[in-house]
Amino acid sequence: MHLQWLRDSIVGQFLRQFCTPSWLKYHEEDLQWQPDYAFYDEKTILVEWYPEHDEENPHNWSRLKKAFILFVIGIYSFVVYMAAPIYTPSENAFIEEFGVNNAEASLGLALYVLGYGTGPLFFSPLSEIPRIGRNLPYAISFFLFCIVCIPTALAPSAIGFYFLRFLQGFFGSPCLATGGASIADVYSSDVLPHAMTTWVFCVFCAPAIGVVVSGFAIPVLGWRFSMWEILIAAGPILVLLLLLPETSPATILHRRARRLEKTGTKRPYSYQTAADIAQAGISFYSVVQESLLIPSKITFLDPAILFLNCYTSLTYGIYYSFFEAFPIVYQGIYGFNLGEMGLAFLAIVVGTIISFAVYNLYIYKIFTPKSRGLRKPEDVLVPALIACFGPSIGLLLFGWAANPNVHWIVPTIGIVIYPACVFILMQCVFLYIPACYPQYAASVFAATDFTRSAFACGAVVFSRPLYENLGVGPGCSLLAGLTIGCVIGIYSLYHYGEALRLRSKFVPKC
């Protein structure tokens, strides 16, 4: 069995360090290997991909190896997102044990969401350093994620539980920070949209599945079992992350340069990669400062990005408000038990499946064939011009059909519509931002992830009082009104986005 693709995984590097098996050797370690060297200057050899079919280049990996990368990142993200609302069916039991009110009990979800929004601000720039790469933050942080699950399940107080839930989210966040970057490392531009939608599909479905798996178990095994369920799901993922090959091209080439320094025939020369040369003399503090400062300026001073940030924050916050609204509707109005209420969340999965199929068909039949003629970034927003009406329709249907005299399937249809359209909106945003700011894409995503998660954190806390004081129908109407206002913003961005970009000082002028 050919297992050389394990060389760049953490397990492979460990075996190379202590066992040095022959089947884990690289070409550079063969004394007869004589590649063509490109000189950066008279003392430095520039380490690049080999002119022939370089098997270490992630874009040249086999389909099976790429599929393994997508599978691991997808299921890793699934478990982290599933862990967010898995606690919500147990809020009443949590209230009884610790004597807190509803708003305080909701912090178990809110602070987890805030944690995985904060983490990318640290992990995103960390993964861009060639010496570190993507795999090390994945494995170390997820190991800590698993460890934190244990005291979270045994928390003796509400305050301790809240703090540990924040840490859970923080240590689970690298999949949010760089999961998309890992996928982009291996897939070419024509296949990448399909791979990215598969990853986002896992992210969208996970919270709903989390409520389902805990809804039937909590009445029998207690509210703490939901925390043990996270650990049970996370264990296999940790093993897969240890087997995950490193995908960062900069890190792969950096390791090649270090091997050449040990075994290369041109010993007097220094072996450096383009990334090493670019980051020479730059401290980690400087990298983090630049990764935070510039994206923050873009996020708040560029009107197009500021609008998209507000729009995605609103839709994301409404999505998480459902975890507080569903008990009011399905338990309070329709008399569902915990397990049945959890099944109602499958409407989110149904909506996501529909939009996943429709969007991939659009990418395959329309977007990809015309991508060569793509003239401006605003062209990727075309699906959003239709999908932007969906959130308002779904909210109004869910809010006003939630009535004992109306069958429960009617408001559930509104829940199907909402995530279906938000899924497409998110895909458009994920394509638009890197098209506008390719050089800052990862850091801008980290900044927008933080603001989106911070708003969702607040939405979890204020959503129950909103629905209880105004009523489900008026509360949904208020939120729908905000999304209707964003429809105008999407159309304005499509028609005038180019003019806004030309006025932006962050976009390089040609």
Side-chain angles (χ1 to χ4, degrees):
M1 185 176 179
H2 186 67
L3 295 176
Q4 284 190 340
W5 62 275
L6 282 173
R7 287 181 305 192
D8 282 322
S9 69
I10 292 177
V11 170
Q13 293 298 306
F14 178 84
L15 291 174
R16 278 178 48 82
Q17 186 71 26
F18 295 99
C19 304
T20 61
S22 60
W23 54 273
L24 288 180
K25 285 187 175 181
Y26 292 86
H27 290 303
E28 300 84 28
E29 295 169 324
D30 186 348
L31 296 178
Q32 297 180 348
W33 177 253
Q34 295 291 336
D36 294 329
Y37 294 99
F39 286 85
Y40 177 75
D41 56 33
E42 58 183 13
K43 295 183 179 181
T44 305
I45 293 177
L46 185 63
V47 179
E48 298 176 310
W49 302 121
Y50 298 132
E52 301 83 13
H53 184 82
D54 195 331
E55 65 179 19
E56 291 183 53
N57 187 338
H59 279 251
N60 294 333
W61 290 350
S62 67
R63 290 184 179 179
L64 181 61
K65 188 173 180 178
K66 292 179 180 181
F68 177 73
I69 301 292
L70 180 59
F71 170 76
V72 173
I73 296 298
I75 196 170
Y76 169 28
S77 304
F78 181 90
V79 169
V80 171
Y81 276 82
M82 181 191 72
I86 199 171
Y87 150 83
T88 54
S90 64
E91 285 186 2
N92 289 334
F94 185 86
I95 291 172
E96 291 180 8
E97 179 168 338
F98 293 113
V100 297
N101 57 39
N102 286 320
E104 292 170 336
S106 67
L107 290 174
L109 169 61
L111 290 176
Y112 184 97
V113 174
L114 182 64
Y116 74 56
T118 305
L121 297 176
F122 173 75
F123 292 112
S124 184
L126 191 68
S127 67
E128 298 298 328
I129 299 175
R131 296 187 301 274
I132 297 175
R134 312 213 192 279
N135 280 9
L136 203 57
Y138 284 156
I140 294 176
S141 63
F142 201 72
F143 174 76
L144 294 173
F145 176 89
C146 295
I147 294 299
V148 170
C149 287
I150 299 173
T152 305
L154 303 173
S157 66
I159 297 297
F161 179 78
Y162 300 149
F163 175 71
L164 291 168
R165 282 288 282 173
F166 175 83
L167 290 182
Q168 269 189 325
F170 182 84
F171 290 128
S173 67
C175 65
L176 175 66
T178 54
S182 293
I183 296 171
D185 287 338
V186 300
Y187 283 101
S188 57
S189 58
D190 57 332
V191 183
L192 182 59
H194 299 287
M196 291 294 287
T197 54
T198 303
W199 175 56
V200 178
F201 174 81
C202 296
V203 170
F204 259 66
C205 292
I209 300 299
V211 179
V212 174
V213 299
S214 64
F216 288 100
I218 288 172
V220 179
L221 300 173
W223 73 268
R224 294 181 185 272
F225 184 72
S226 61
M227 297 298 104
W228 293 118
E229 285 181 306
I230 298 173
L231 183 60
I232 293 169
I237 307 304
L238 181 59
V239 176
L240 289 174
L241 288 175
L242 295 176
L243 299 175
L244 184 71
E246 177 60 57
T247 63
S248 171
T251 300
I252 295 173
L253 288 175
H254 174 81
R255 292 176 179 176
R256 173 179 288 179
R258 303 292 76 78
R259 291 192 300 271
L260 285 170
E261 285 183 347
K262 294 180 180 178
T263 62
T265 57
K266 296 184 179 294
R267 294 289 180 87
Y269 294 93
S270 171
Y271 293 86
Q272 297 292 329
T273 68
D276 290 331
I277 295 172
Q279 294 188 7
I282 300 177
S283 65
F284 174 68
Y285 174 78
S286 300
V287 173
V288 173
Q289 185 181 36
E290 182 178 353
S291 298
L292 294 178
L293 184 60
I294 295 179
S296 298
K297 288 182 177 180
I298 294 174
T299 302
F300 294 106
L301 298 180
D302 185 292
I305 303 301
L306 177 61
F307 163 71
L308 289 176
N309 196 28
C310 292
Y311 194 11
T312 54
S313 296
L314 176 63
T315 55
Y316 199 65
I318 293 172
Y319 177 89
Y320 271 96
S321 77
F322 290 153
F323 295 99
E324 297 296 322
F326 270 38
I328 298 174
V329 173
Y330 291 103
Q331 289 184 288
I333 296 177
Y334 293 108
F336 285 18
N337 60 36
L338 276 178
E340 293 169 339
M341 184 197 70
L343 292 176
F345 278 94
L346 292 178
I348 295 175
V349 179
V350 172
T352 306
I353 291 173
I354 294 172
S355 59
F356 175 79
V358 171
Y359 189 75
N360 272 284
L361 186 63
Y362 165 79
I363 290 292
Y364 181 73
K365 292 289 187 180
I366 300 176
F367 182 80
T368 301
K370 294 183 177 180
S371 59
R372 291 183 179 179
L374 201 65
R375 297 185 301 272
K376 55 184 181 180
E378 286 71 29
D379 290 339
V380 304
L381 298 175
V382 171
L385 300 179
I386 300 174
C388 63
F389 294 98
S392 307
I393 297 172
L395 282 170
L396 292 172
L397 183 59
F398 171 72
W400 291 103
N403 188 293
N405 299 320
V406 179
H407 194 275
W408 60 266
I409 196 65
V410 180
T412 305
I413 292 174
I415 297 301
V416 172
I417 295 172
Y418 186 87
C421 295
V422 170
F423 179 90
I424 293 176
L425 286 169
M426 290 289 190
Q427 294 299 327
C428 294
V429 171
F430 290 162
L431 289 175
Y432 183 76
I433 290 178
C436 293
Y437 299 103
Q439 70 275 41
Y440 302 121
S443 298
V444 172
F445 274 132
T448 56
D449 287 339
F450 171 74
T451 52
R452 188 168 65 240
S453 298
F455 184 84
C457 172
V460 171
V461 177
F462 72 65
S463 57
R464 182 179 286 268
L466 171 71
Y467 293 126
E468 288 179 341
N469 294 328
L470 294 182
V472 177
C476 286
S477 296
L478 174 62
L479 298 176
L482 297 175
T483 61
I484 290 174
C486 291
V487 170
I488 301 173
I490 282 289
Y491 274 83
S492 299
L493 183 61
Y494 177 74
H495 290 289
Y496 305 110
E498 185 175 15
L500 290 174
R501 285 187 294 106
L502 292 175
R503 296 175 59 184
S504 173
K505 63 180 180 180
F506 301 105
V507 176
K509 305 297 188 292
C510 298

